[in-house]
Amino acid sequence: QSVLTQPSSLSGTPGQRVSMSCSGSSSNIGKNSVHWYQHFPGTAPKLLISTNNQRPSGVPDRFSGFKSGTSASLVISGLQSEDESQYYCAAWDDNLNGWVFGGGTKLTVL
Amino acid sequence: EVHLVESGGGLLQPGGSLRLSCAASGFPFNAYTMNWVRQAPGKGLEWVAVIDSSGTSVSYAGSVKGRFSVFRDNAENSLYLQLDMVSPEDTGVYFCAREWHVGFDYWGPGTMVTVAS
């Protein structure tokens, strides 16, 4: 059971706008920044959204992040086939004194 | 260009020990906090350990505390993870990741650890 809660799966069609959630608590998301990672099997995970809503260089602007209270969300506008991947949220947890990840959301592009 | 490359993975029996290495290049290694993250087969990412830039402050996930040790050699630009008293639940791909204020901005490709009798 992950400390951060994400839906296990999500699907959308090309061009659609999809949103995936990440729910935490006052000791993690409520106090610290949320980061989002994209992970294709067999490769290194990639930082997709940092510090709640910042896109690292090279990340398409169709990806955006939001945070409110103890929850966060990743939004993909204009879904593309290459976006089919696993997505993870993460945050530092002050009580656990460590990083916590969500269980991951598998995004399928239909 | 930033490069992180893990090594040292392999097959070991329950109760055994293994040391993983992460060779870093392309950035001032001694300025960065480093982490280990793992992924069990068919499971999600799980944070394992963090070590600050000087190597004086460390923290571990509850699932590995007391069994794993993280340390670094800044002169050799290397990060290590000592795995002791391993169990089948420790099976997975182990990634090293560079931490900056923005999160884990660079990751290695990972090294596979299999614990089985």
Side-chain angles (χ1 to χ4, degrees):
Chain A
Q1 193 79 359
S2 302
V3 174
L4 304 183
T5 301
Q6 296 181 251
S8 58
S9 63
L10 191 63
S11 64
T13 56
Q16 191 176 7
R17 178 183 185 272
V18 296
S19 176
M20 60 186 75
S21 61
C22 175
S23 177
S25 68
S26 58
S27 63
N28 41 67
I29 294 179
K31 282 186 179 178
N32 301 301
S33 296
V34 178
H35 311 292
W36 291 88
Y37 300 91
Q38 180 186 54
H39 189 206
F40 295 100
T43 70
K46 172 188 174 183
L47 179 64
L48 195 65
I49 295 289
S50 69
T51 323
N52 306 322
N53 54 20
Q54 303 300 304
R55 278 189 310 276
S57 174
V59 175
D61 60 6
R62 64 177 183 275
F63 292 94
S64 55
F66 302 89
K67 173 185 157 179
S68 177
T70 60
S71 294
S73 59
L74 174 69
V75 175
I76 307 175
S77 303
L79 194 62
Q80 298 186 8
S81 58
E82 59 261 37
D83 298 334
E84 184 164 295
S85 184
Q86 194 85 7
Y87 294 86
Y88 296 90
C89 58
W92 181 263
D93 191 294
D94 288 350
N95 287 352
L96 298 174
N97 196 35
W99 289 95
V100 290
F101 281 88
T105 296
K106 180 176 173 55
L107 175 63
T108 301
V109 181
L110 302 172
Chain B
E1 187 182 355
V2 173
H3 270 114
L4 297 170
V5 180
E6 304 89 344
S7 61
L11 173 65
L12 67 164
Q13 294 187 334
S17 296
L18 194 67
R19 179 174 295 182
L20 306 182
S21 301
C22 172
S25 62
F27 66 99
F29 181 70
N30 60 6
Y32 286 83
T33 292
M34 298 295 295
N35 288 260
W36 286 98
V37 177
R38 68 183 180 183
Q39 183 178 35
K43 303 293 185 182
L45 299 176
E46 179 190 17
W47 172 77
V48 174
V50 61
I51 184 168
D52 72 349
S53 58
S54 65
T56 57
S57 179
V58 300
S59 185
Y60 299 94
S63 58
V64 307
K65 189 176 288 187
R67 300 187 300 117
F68 290 11
S69 298
V70 59
F71 56 101
R72 62 193 296 163
D73 184 337
N74 284 345
E76 294 293 327
N77 291 336
S78 293
L79 173 72
Y80 302 96
L81 185 68
Q82 177 70 33
L83 287 63
D84 295 319
M85 296 181 290
V86 297
S87 70
E89 289 70 39
D90 296 316
T91 293
V93 177
Y94 285 71
F95 301 97
C96 64
R98 189 181 86 166
E99 179 181 332
W100 194 230
H101 305 297
V102 297
F104 298 164
D105 59 351
Y106 285 94
W107 300 62
T111 187
M112 182 70 198
V113 173
T114 303
V115 182
S117 52

